[in-house]
């Protein structure tokens, strides 16, 4: 497990000529899946939306064989692709930005500190389930420990973290347990401890990564 410690600006990736058209269409759909990461039933709702767009995705893939259509798609979707890069969804993972987001969310919600650990990046196993089959989707798992005053703090923290647009994440699991042995809840000290596992999702810009030393 490795811990992110320093800040570094995310670098803009070049537009790969063959990945962009499908990446834009699919990545937007995938990003929609992750818009509300802790709501029950989100995956089922996202799958329904993705199935409704399968025909559009199939058409986009067929257009790859036509160089003129591909160029037109790149130009038309350049802005959307750049937004996905800026949000940390497309390109290299932005671990330092994630950690900055944790600290900001902790401060804004008024928690008692956040402990975290981040695993090495690996292939995202659920890409096909969210319509990302064929894309180089990857994940880095982050384990969080959050002291909480009450249960609502957890939801507030996750909403605040997502709103910062430092990356796209899914909450894989969260558990709550009582902190301390006092029967009377405190108004100044943590009453609960939350342990969560987040998966930070990125779509690799393969061509740009190959150019890096």
């Amino acid at each position: 497990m490795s811990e992110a410690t320093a800040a570094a600006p995310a670098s803009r990736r070049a537009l790969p000529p063959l990945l962009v058209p499908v990446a834009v269409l699919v990545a937007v759909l995938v990003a929609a899946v992750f818009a509300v990461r802790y709501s029950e039933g989100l995956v089922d709702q996202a799958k329904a939306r993705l199935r409704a767009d399968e025909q559009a995705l199939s058409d986009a893939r067929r257009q790859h064989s036509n160089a003129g259509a591909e160029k037109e798609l790149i130009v038309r979707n350049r802005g959307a692709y750049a937004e996905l890069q800026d949000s940390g969804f497309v390109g290299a993972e932005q671990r330092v930005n994630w950690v900055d987001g944790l600290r900001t969310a902790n401060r804004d919600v008024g928690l008692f500190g956040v402990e975290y650990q981040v695993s090495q990046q690996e292939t995202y196993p659920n890409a096909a389930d969210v319509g990302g089959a064929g894309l180089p989707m990857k994940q880095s798992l982050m384990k969080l420990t959050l002291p909480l005053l009450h249960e609502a703090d957890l939801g507030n923290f996750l909403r605040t973290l997502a709103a910062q647009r430092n990356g796209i994440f899914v909450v894989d699991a969260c558990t709550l347990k009582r902190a301390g042995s006092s029967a009377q809840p405190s108004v100044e000290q943590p009453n609960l401890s939350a342990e969560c596992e987040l998966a930070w999702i990125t779509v690799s810009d393969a061509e740009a990564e190959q150019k890096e030393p």
Side-chain angles (χ1 to χ4, degrees):
M1 309 293 284
S2 61
E3 185 168 315
T5 57
S11 60
R12 179 61 56 82
R13 301 302 183 189
L15 293 173
L18 293 179
L19 174 62
V20 173
V22 176
V24 170
L25 289 174
V26 179
V28 170
L29 298 178
V30 176
V33 176
F34 301 136
V36 183
R37 298 162 180 83
Y38 48 86
S39 298
E40 291 184 1
L42 175 62
V43 174
D44 290 338
Q45 295 171 15
K47 286 181 180 178
R49 291 195 300 269
L50 291 171
R51 283 195 295 268
D53 290 291
E54 283 179 354
Q55 186 59 49
L57 177 58
S58 177
D59 292 342
R61 284 173 170 162
R62 283 197 297 269
Q63 290 182 42
H64 276 201
S65 61
N66 186 308
E70 179 182 312
K71 181 178 179 179
E72 180 183 349
L73 282 173
I74 292 174
V75 172
R76 185 168 65 240
N77 294 291
R78 187 181 300 273
Y81 190 85
E83 289 181 5
L84 292 171
Q85 286 182 312
D86 290 340
S87 72
F89 186 50
V90 173
E93 59 180 7
Q94 302 174 19
R95 294 191 175 206
V96 175
N97 290 352
W98 303 344
V99 175
D100 287 343
L102 295 178
R103 292 169 178 160
T104 300
N106 171 76
R107 181 197 66 208
D108 291 352
V109 178
L111 299 186
F112 302 89
V114 181
E115 296 181 4
Y116 67 93
Q117 288 183 313
V118 187
S119 70
Q120 293 184 347
Q121 193 178 53
E122 61 187 15
T123 300
Y124 181 54
N126 301 319
D129 294 338
V130 294
L135 288 180
M137 295 184 70
K138 297 182 180 180
Q139 69 173 5
S140 291
L141 299 179
M142 175 183 284
K143 293 184 178 179
L144 298 178
T145 301
L146 306 165
L148 307 173
L149 195 62
H150 47 73
E151 293 181 4
D153 287 342
L154 178 57
N156 292 336
F157 175 84
L158 294 173
R159 280 193 296 271
T160 303
L161 181 61
Q164 296 177 60
R165 292 175 57 82
N166 287 324
I168 300 297
F169 67 87
V170 210
V171 179
D172 287 341
C174 274
T175 59
L176 288 172
K177 59 182 180 182
R178 187 173 298 279
S181 56
S182 174
Q184 183 67 30
S186 171
V187 296
E188 297 180 350
Q189 298 297 323
N191 296 302
L192 299 168
S193 177
E195 294 184 356
C196 295
E197 183 174 88
L198 276 57
W200 290 90
I201 311 299
T202 55
V203 175
S204 297
D205 188 336
E207 180 173 296
E209 289 182 354
Q210 290 174 0
K211 294 179 181 179
E212 293 181 352

